[in-house]
Amino acid sequence: MAYFEHEGCTLHYEEYGRGDPLLLVHGLGSSAQDWEKQIPELSSRYRLIVPDLRGHGRSDKPRERYSIPGFTADIVALIEHLNLGPAHYVGLSMGGMIGFQLGVDQPQLLKSLCIVNSAPEVKVRSTNDYWQWFKRWSLARVLSLATIGRALGQRLFPKPEQGELRRKMAERWAKNDKRAYLASFDAIVGWGVQERLGRITCPTLVVSADHDYTPVAVKEAYVKLLPDARLVVIEDSRHATPLDQPQRFNQTLLDFTTTVDTTTQDH
């Protein structure tokens, strides 16, 4: 457990292993804890840095507006604080959005980028988009976080044998700070950097679950806009791929980062 300060906010991160730096950045309403099935394996090869974003986990939850550029500035500060230089970056969902923002603003800080079940923009365009977001926005305000956690657990881990994952999800979700959760939710809607994806020059791996919230076709479309990217679809998985398919996910990620490391050493 370690902490650092950025713009008056105390941010928590964990560090494991040694080697080239690799950042694991969680999604909305999550925390460093949700990488538990990656940490043992990845830390045998890399120096893992696993932060809690502001408003999440053991980091401060300042009463203010949150934004994707703001979360990204915290990650840049962490990279500088630890003097990491170019690092491998892995981001799930909202963590992936932060990865995209980092890639277009500070491409020199990335050795590689892995985006998991995410997108480079969340624009509300059609009536249906608006309705979907409004529904989620309203439910997030009306329901308790414990109720949302239970519902999410059922949706993300529907199989009988996934009871333990459902239980953990419900328990962890209930611990969120409601105001910080809503502020983070608001940070996502309307955000986007899709028109600047050409700036991300590092090797990029896009991982999509076959049953993610957004269809695989959405990922296929934005992968074409990235200079050096490929898409891997993980079957029998939902939005929390690192938790529901950890072996496949870890292997896919390690194959990718190892290739990047080998290629950069050759140059």
Side-chain angles (χ1 to χ4, degrees):
M1 273 174 67
Y3 292 89
F4 79 109
E5 292 276 328
H6 181 234
E7 289 177 346
C9 182
T10 303
L11 297 159
H12 169 259
Y13 65 96
E14 294 168 13
E15 202 171 338
Y16 304 89
R18 49 208 295 201
D20 288 342
L22 189 153
L23 281 145
L24 292 174
V25 182
H26 65 78
L28 170 70
S30 174
S31 74
Q33 279 187 306
D34 286 328
W35 294 106
E36 64 189 327
K37 294 187 175 181
Q38 281 64 55
I39 290 166
E41 200 169 341
L42 298 181
S43 62
S44 65
R45 300 270 290 277
Y46 290 99
R47 176 186 176 192
L48 282 194
I49 316 291
V50 195
D52 284 335
L53 295 166
R54 71 171 57 210
H56 292 75
R58 284 179 264 189
S59 288
D60 280 355
K61 296 160 187 72
R63 301 183 71 85
E64 61 189 26
R65 287 187 68 137
Y66 296 170
S67 70
I68 300 294
F71 290 133
T72 308
D74 289 338
I75 296 293
V76 171
L78 177 58
I79 290 172
E80 287 167 356
H81 171 72
L82 294 172
N83 199 15
L84 299 181
H88 294 293
Y89 180 102
V90 181
L92 170 67
S93 196
M94 188 173 84
M97 296 172 197
I98 295 163
F100 277 127
Q101 186 79 52
L102 183 62
V104 299
D105 289 343
Q106 308 255 19
Q108 76 287 355
L109 293 180
L110 293 179
K111 188 172 188 185
S112 78
L113 181 59
C114 174
I115 301 287
V116 190
N117 294 334
S118 190
E121 60 174 24
V122 183
K123 301 286 190 189
V124 179
R125 293 205 168 93
S126 65
T127 318
N128 183 49
D129 288 348
Y130 181 81
W131 174 240
Q132 291 299 330
W133 274 104
F134 179 72
K135 212 161 57 176
R136 285 178 70 180
W137 184 87
S138 317
L139 287 174
R141 276 160 172 73
V142 174
L143 302 175
S144 75
L145 285 167
T147 305
I148 295 173
R150 280 196 299 277
L152 273 172
Q154 295 289 346
R155 189 171 176 185
L156 295 183
F157 310 115
K159 297 180 181 178
E161 67 272 20
Q162 291 178 320
E164 180 63 11
L165 285 168
R166 284 194 291 277
R167 189 190 61 73
K168 272 186 188 169
M169 177 104 204
E171 188 185 294
R172 289 173 184 178
W173 213 264
K175 290 191 178 122
N176 274 301
D177 175 297
K178 177 117 185 194
R179 201 194 38 76
Y181 173 78
L182 293 172
S184 305
F185 186 94
D186 291 344
I188 292 173
V189 188
W191 165 86
V193 294
Q194 185 151 305
E195 63 293 340
R196 294 200 287 152
L197 289 184
R199 300 193 50 157
I200 301 178
T201 48
C202 67
T204 305
L205 172 69
V206 175
V207 175
S208 175
D210 57 350
H211 299 300
D212 188 23
Y213 296 134
T214 51
V216 171
V218 170
K219 283 87 164 187
E220 286 170 343
Y222 74 66
V223 162
K224 292 191 180 98
L225 305 173
L226 288 155
D228 180 7
R230 65 188 185 90
L231 172 68
V232 172
V233 177
I234 293 191
E235 283 162 21
D236 193 24
S237 179
R238 285 170 173 75
H239 192 61
T241 301
L243 285 169
D244 71 15
Q245 289 289 353
Q247 283 77 25
R248 304 253 319 271
F249 176 76
N250 294 353
Q251 198 49 58
T252 304
L253 176 61
L254 282 169
D255 289 347
F256 167 68
T257 53
T258 307
T259 306
V260 173
D261 292 337
T262 321
T263 330
T264 41
Q265 275 157 12
D266 294 345
H267 286 312

